[in-house]
Amino acid sequence: MMSSAKTCAVCGTSTPFRSGRPPFSKSLAAKTSGHVTRRRRSRQLGIRAALSEGVSLAVSQQAIAFGLCTVAEGFYTRSQIQEGRGGRPEIKTIGITGAGFVLAGLLVGSDIGLLQPIGLIGGCVTSGYVAYNSYTRFQTVESDPLEWPGPRAWPVGVAVGSFFVFLALFQSLFKFQ
């Protein structure tokens, strides 16, 4: 095979071609010479997701799963505590927390770079709301010494879970590409 230097059709630099003659098109010349055409460069610099796929998938799954667990815990606790007693969660609060986590998870899991930080911040706010609501429920639940772990364990467990979800969402704010 004969190697000779020819002028690149894209940028005008001297580029060696293996066969002794340049390829038949400008795009093929750019591919073989290592140069990137303007059109290919614009495709490479297109808008991509702000988070890597693994991070967005993990965080969105955690937020959605915790949202569903929060709803399940709220309805279970509501069915176990009689009406009028302290610490019984309201349906409005259960719906807001569940919808907040699910919506945050869906926004973080989307491939739209602008919606991901909105979902992360919304999830952090929802986590704070759940922690505050769990703390007020913990304070108002009447303690029963004969029941173990007691009715106060559920709000504490939800508060701890919301703290961990908050950490996952907050740390993902710093993982943008």
Side-chain angles (χ1 to χ4, degrees):
M1 286 197 156
M2 184 177 186
S3 179
S4 64
K6 297 288 184 177
T7 304
C8 180
V10 177
C11 65
T13 60
S14 177
T15 307
F17 295 104
R18 279 189 270 169
S19 66
R21 59 189 166 105
F24 59 88
S25 71
K26 286 186 178 183
S27 65
L28 189 57
K31 288 178 188 176
T32 59
S33 66
H35 297 290
V36 179
T37 62
R38 184 171 286 169
R39 177 174 278 168
R40 282 185 58 207
R41 188 177 303 134
S42 67
R43 274 190 246 139
Q44 289 176 350
L45 297 176
I47 297 174
R48 290 182 275 174
L51 292 173
S52 67
E53 289 181 24
V55 172
S56 66
L57 181 65
V59 172
S60 65
Q61 286 177 349
Q62 290 172 9
I64 291 172
F66 187 70
L68 296 176
C69 289
T70 304
V71 169
E73 184 276 330
F75 282 123
Y76 173 76
T77 304
R78 187 170 171 81
S79 69
Q80 297 299 314
I81 296 178
Q82 297 172 356
E83 191 171 343
R85 290 183 67 194
R88 186 171 191 225
E90 298 179 18
I91 296 218
K92 179 178 75 172
T93 306
I94 295 169
I96 288 172
T97 57
F101 279 122
V102 170
L103 181 64
L106 292 175
L107 290 176
V108 170
S110 71
D111 286 335
I112 302 170
L114 180 64
L115 295 180
Q116 287 180 335
I118 294 170
L120 291 172
I121 292 169
C124 288
V125 170
T126 304
S127 295
Y129 179 71
V130 168
Y132 172 75
N133 188 30
S134 297
Y135 177 74
T136 57
R137 280 180 46 207
F138 173 78
Q139 293 295 325
T140 59
V141 168
E142 299 168 4
S143 181
D144 186 7
L146 299 176
E147 194 176 329
W148 189 87
R152 288 186 169 187
W154 287 105
V156 170
V158 171
V160 169
S162 71
F163 174 71
F164 288 127
V165 171
F166 172 80
L167 287 179
L169 292 165
F170 187 72
Q171 289 174 355
S172 296
L173 280 171
F174 302 106
K175 301 237 181 227
F176 287 108
Q177 292 180 346

